[in-house]
Amino acid sequence: MMSNNFNQTEKDGLYKAIFSRRDVRSHFTSESIDDEIITRILTAAHHAPSVGFSQPWNFILIKDQETRRKIKESFSLENKKASKLIEDPKKSKYLSLKLEGILESAINLCITYDPTKFGPFVIGRTSIPEAGIYSVCCAVQNLWLAARAEGIGVGWVSILSNQELKKALDLPDHIIPIAYLCLGHVTEFAEKPDLETEGWLSRLQLDDVVYYEKWNEKQNMNWEKIQELIKENLDYA
Amino acid sequence: MMSNNFNQTEKDGLYKAIFSRRDVRSHFTSESIDDEIITRILTAAHHAPSVGFSQPWNFILIKDQETRRKIKESFSLENKKASKLIEDPKKSKYLSLKLEGILESAINLCITYDPTKFGPFVIGRTSIPEAGIYSVCCAVQNLWLAARAEGIGVGWVSILSNQELKKALDLPDHIIPIAYLCLGHVTEFAEKPDLETEGWLSRLQLDDVVYYEKWNEKQNMNWEKIQELIKENLDYA
């Protein structure tokens, strides 16, 4: 049994994974991933929280080039559609960005949501049915962090048609694909998110996203000390 | 700058957080949480991945007893409704479960999704608009893991009316509450999930949730070694 408390190095390990995790698109190498590593990161995902302990996720491991070509085709179509929503110079900038590593990553991984698992009555899903999907996202994040600690880059491709994805992977009607991920060794983990480096958007300060007691409330007598701390909060990555 | 590689202790720290994280309902103490700890776990959440780097989350810290009483009332109503969906003996079992710690935890925290932030054009959200919500869930999981490492228990309350929640926190119409969390020090972190200990559901084996190349495909020549590893995979927690 594990000790209940975390020593400083253990804490540092977790925070290091959180702050140095990146959405990887352009730094994949062709090196294959050890099966032991794949097993560990899937186990990490499977230990995510799930509403009513419903564990509503499935993991589809993909190497097949034919499947990947179909997905890449869907990406290209959807990406073109997206670019039509904006005007130059933003449009040219958008089209210059590398947004996926479907073909060059070692493996692809689709993480799906099955609303029927252990259902229809799932504890905690009766008032907010979307809670089942939220569980699957927590599994994605566990996997992403574990992959980072194992030196594996992960890129989430959301410029895709879910209908095409369902066809390519033979998903039944009731199964919802949540995340389509590209995984592989990388030449480097970028110091900052690509979109920050490219000047697309900046990271917000923590102070910009925290409220006290109610929406939009930035000053509250019961939270005086923490308001100072949060304002001084340094950006870690 | 942090070193790119993780040593074994750092990896262990991350996996320990993943495997020993619990959904806490009944073990909260009244001890308050250090502002430094709250700041660190919010920073961890804020460093989650977000679609198009849109950082669409806000964090509302709540201590106010009046707000909590309203939320607790909503829980009680929704919980009663839920119990009417099932019959005894399941119903009695359900009603005997402690499913929230709204009033007795040190603080409550609502994490919300703002679809308008940096919008309307957000990279990666054009084909799958839900991707914005998925980002917020990743932030929840970062926070949950950081809290665990800091010795803070987190319980996610999803038996709630989002309408009542929006009223209680003055959320504008377009803001979607994703997670309502209770945070506090705990007398213990349970060894297993409460619903597993209570015999409500068992943890699935990893082998039950992994497919190869296509939905439902459990045998695939290109994945022979990992199939063995995944079958032998031990449950960690």
Side-chain angles (χ1 to χ4, degrees), chain B residues 122-173:
Chain B
V122 168
I123 292 185
R125 213 182 61 185
T126 48
S127 301
I128 304 174
E130 302 87 337
I133 289 178
Y134 302 168
S135 305
V136 179
C137 298
C138 289
V140 175
Q141 184 61 5
N142 267 9
L143 180 134
W144 211 331
L145 293 172
R148 177 63 191 87
E150 301 282 358
I152 301 300
V154 174
W156 186 327
V157 185
S158 62
I159 304 172
L160 273 183
S161 151
N162 270 344
Q163 278 317 106
E164 293 304 318
L165 187 55
K166 288 181 80 159
K167 263 196 267 175
L169 302 179
D170 290 349
L171 300 188
D173 271 355

Side-chain angles (χ1 to χ4, degrees), chain A residues 129-145:
Chain A
E130 301 88 336
I133 288 177
Y134 302 168
S135 305
V136 179
C137 298
C138 290
V140 175
Q141 184 61 5
N142 267 9
L143 181 134
W144 211 332
L145 294 172

Side-chain angles (χ1 to χ4, degrees), chain A residues 11 18 48 54 60 84 92 95 108 113 122 143 146 152 190 233:
Chain A
K11 279 189 207 174
I18 286 174
S54 56
I60 309 177
K84 289 181 178 153
S92 308
L95 286 169
N108 291 187
Y113 170 54
V122 168
L143 181 134
I152 302 299
N233 185 66

Side-chain angles (χ1 to χ4, degrees), chain A residues 89-129:
Chain A
K90 216 167 182 184
K91 181 177 183 162
S92 308
K93 179 86 179 170
Y94 176 81
L95 286 169
S96 77
L97 298 168
K98 171 117 174 75
L99 297 176
E100 54 72 42
I102 296 166
L103 298 177
E104 64 270 32
S105 54
I107 63 171
N108 291 187
L109 170 63
C110 184
I111 307 185
T112 59
Y113 170 54
D114 181 354
T116 66
K117 205 184 280 188
F118 293 127
F121 184 84
V122 168
I123 292 184
R125 213 182 60 186
T126 48
S127 301
I128 304 175

Side-chain angles (χ1 to χ4, degrees), chain A residues 13 46-47 69-70 76 100 113 148 152 156 167 181 190 215 228:
Chain A
H46 184 48
H47 278 255
R69 266 193 300 272
K70 286 182 198 163
S76 300
E100 54 72 42
Y113 170 54
R148 177 63 191 88
I152 302 299
W156 185 328
K167 262 197 266 174
L181 307 173
W215 182 260
E228 289 315 306

